[in-house]
Amino acid sequence: MDNKRIYLSLSQQSGFEQEYIQKALETNWLTSGGPNVDDFENKLQNYFSEESFITALNSGTSAIHLALILLGVKAGDEVICQTLTFSASANPVLYQGAIPVFVDSEPDTWNISPEFLEIAIKDRIKKGKKPKAIITVHLYGNPYKVEDIHAIAKRYNIPIIEDSAEALGSSYKGKKCGTFGTFGILSFNGNKIITTSSGGALISNSKESKEKAIFYATQSKDVAVHYQHSEVGYNYRMSNVCAGIGLGQIKMLENNISARRATHFFYKDLFDSIKNVTLFEVLHEDYFSNYWLNAILVEPILEKNINSENLRLAFEKANIECRPLWKPMHLQPIFMEYPYYGNKIAEDLFLKGLCLPSGSNLTKEDKIRIEEVIKTFFDY
Ligand SMILES: *Cc1c(COP(=O)(O)O)cnc(C)c1O
């Protein structure tokens, strides 16, 4: 067996990408925006629902930034954000000069805790500042406690930006992730469920919001023949070439979700008999995960040198890439000074957690190599 590197999360091509890119080249449509972008947006819109308006952008991060702008978040405002996430969820809060307020996870879904969310909202209001928005995350594709969280947000009348970057294809009670908040965002980075090489999308629920998003994403040009601007603009629109890759990739969406889910059940079988390992999975059948990344918690056994970092090193020795969970935002040097509400749940998950190879391109041979490392490490 060869020893080529197994990566954590790669997508696979449908073979149609080339055709769409070629068309963009032939028609010399190489700008941001264009026919591929419109087509890609329409295909996504069909995938979601008629009430969802999709704006294709150059990254998921830009989509979060635009959502904050559209919600009127300004310097000095406070924005609540789930602490256990990738830094791209929180960075745009700083772009606006606003203040992130971090909220812990709960142990069932590893996502934002309803209990600490409400504590945080009440305390911020008491301190004189009602949060302007809440950024929630469906971590590794697993939906958060949608009903609890949205009920709290509604009670205090605070809009939600649903970071669905990792959750394209996931749903809660049959409704797709990305459509619960005032805004949802997707990412088409190279490691996500489908890719445009680099790209993202903003999901909104009105044509007006979509038009406003495009306005900001294309340098805020006023209606005039000459270039006139009355607002700060951004260069955030998706390019027609990247959208071509997306059109090829979207043909793979169902396939990629099934492949990632099959990998999840491969891990489930494998870890069933290993007592000190817990596989991250959905709470019950209301939750449907694309299982973008599989993660486990390893309960350390001191005398056997068993812990998540040693497991990662064992994988590394076999040229297999694994990674710790996202380091919680409130522990990051850049975010440490900001308020945090919680009880160290995310910290504990971070200490014991490990993400395992989950790409939709994993082969049978790759899985045999992964299984070998696990069996040897846990000695069964
Ligand atoms: C990937 C990711 C993003 C950002 O997406 P980009 O397209 O890379 O900018 C945001 N949030 C989460 C949780 C992500 O995993």
Side-chain angles (χ1 to χ4, degrees):
M1 209 182 298
D2 72 2
N3 194 39
K4 76 169 180 8
R5 187 150 176 87
I6 299 175
Y7 289 96
L8 188 71
S9 177
L10 288 182
S11 190
Q12 59 189 22
Q13 297 181 16
S14 69
F16 291 95
E17 291 84 356
Q18 188 87 42
E19 219 172 276
Y20 292 106
I21 297 171
Q22 193 60 36
K23 210 168 127 197
L25 289 168
E26 276 164 11
T27 55
N28 205 21
W29 209 304
L30 306 175
T31 57
S32 62
N36 280 344
V37 176
D38 295 340
D39 202 6
F40 185 54
E41 283 179 345
N42 288 336
K43 294 228 155 67
L44 280 169
Q45 202 141 327
N46 290 341
Y47 180 75
F48 280 91
S49 73
E50 274 161 32
E51 300 101 73
S52 298
F53 292 82
I54 311 283
T55 312
L57 300 167
N58 61 4
S59 76
T61 311
S62 329
I64 298 175
H65 190 196
L66 286 185
L68 292 168
I69 292 167
L70 289 164
L71 289 173
V73 172
K74 297 203 166 64
D77 287 341
E78 294 191 352
V79 175
I80 289 179
C81 182
Q82 175 167 329
T83 192
L84 188 59
T85 186
F86 179 48
S87 65
S89 305
N91 274 330
V93 176
L94 297 189
Y95 302 167
Q96 284 306 93
I99 298 156
V101 173
F102 294 108
V103 170
D104 206 357
S105 297
E106 43 79 20
D108 294 335
T109 73
W110 298 12
N111 285 308
I112 189 164
S113 151
E115 183 195 344
F116 285 109
L117 172 62
E118 183 147 26
I119 290 172
I121 294 172
K122 279 184 170 159
D123 193 54
R124 299 325 291 175
I125 291 174
K126 211 170 85 192
K127 289 191 160 71
K129 247 184 202 167
K130 182 172 146 180
K132 270 280 180 75
I134 301 165
I135 300 171
T136 55
V137 184
H138 304 290
L139 195 70
Y140 305 135
N142 276 17
Y144 57 82
K145 290 190 168 166
V146 169
E147 275 168 296
D148 296 348
I149 296 299
H150 286 259
I152 294 166
K154 203 167 167 194
R155 200 173 319 138
Y156 293 91
N157 200 19
I158 305 172
I160 287 185
I161 299 170
E162 200 188 336
D163 182 344
S164 218
E166 301 174 357
L168 177 56
S170 299
S171 56
Y172 176 75
K173 288 193 172 170
K175 189 167 152 57
K176 291 203 167 72
C177 290
T179 63
F180 294 103
T182 304
F183 292 101
I185 75 99
L186 300 171
S187 167
F188 309 115
N189 195 2
N191 61 348
K192 297 287 161 53
I193 286 281
I194 60 166
T195 184
T196 58
S197 74
S198 172
L202 182 72
I203 306 174
S204 63
N205 45 29
S206 76
K207 196 162 163 269
E208 292 71 43
S209 298
K210 174 173 172 165
E211 280 167 1
K212 199 78 208 203
I214 293 175
F215 169 77
Y216 286 123
T218 53
Q219 306 288 18
S220 302
K221 287 191 206 81
D222 293 343
V223 183
V225 183
H226 52 275
Y227 281 77
Q228 178 174 299
H229 310 273
S230 339
E231 287 191 75
V232 178
Y234 303 85
N235 184 2
Y236 280 175
R237 195 78 165 120
M238 183 179 279
S239 105
N240 199 51
V241 179
C242 292
I245 301 176
L247 283 169
Q249 282 278 300
I250 206 164
K251 295 181 194 286
M252 295 298 278
L253 179 54
E254 293 302 341
N255 169 84
N256 289 0
I257 294 167
S258 319
R260 294 210 186 227
R261 284 180 56 80
T263 298
H264 173 78
F265 291 104
F266 155 76
Y267 283 121
K268 193 170 163 61
D269 280 348
L270 210 51
F271 288 117
D272 243 6
S273 53
I274 304 178
K275 277 199 182 60
N276 56 315
V277 173
T278 317
L279 179 65
F280 183 36
E281 53 189 343
V282 296
L283 196 50
H284 53 71
E285 63 270 22
D286 285 346
Y287 297 79
F288 181 87
S289 176
N290 62 12
Y291 289 120
W292 172 63
L293 277 194
N294 286 282
I296 52 171
L297 297 182
V298 182
E299 210 50 63
I301 306 176
L302 211 61
E303 60 279 15
K304 286 188 177 170
N305 270 328
I306 284 179
N307 60 46
S308 60
E309 177 57 11
N310 285 343
L311 177 57
R312 191 186 69 79
L313 292 171
F315 273 116
E316 198 50 54
K317 232 183 188 163
N319 206 17
I320 298 170
E321 182 189 28
C322 291
R323 270 196 224 152
L325 306 195
W326 301 126
K327 182 175 179 178
M329 291 305 110
H330 72 280
L331 303 179
Q332 300 283 358
I334 178 81
F335 293 122
M336 234 167 329
E337 67 187 278
Y338 297 107
Y340 158 77
Y341 294 84
N343 192 23
K344 294 187 185 254
I345 302 283
E347 282 168 65
D348 194 47
L349 292 169
F350 173 63
L351 280 178
K352 293 179 184 159
L354 190 67
C355 293
L356 305 174
S358 304
S360 43
N361 66 337
L362 282 187
T363 63
K364 221 183 248 171
E365 289 71 34
D366 292 341
K367 286 181 183 168
I368 293 170
R369 281 173 56 194
I370 290 168
E371 185 166 350
E372 246 171 42
V373 172
I374 292 169
K375 289 196 160 159
T376 311
F377 185 81
F378 290 101
D379 193 21
Y380 74 100

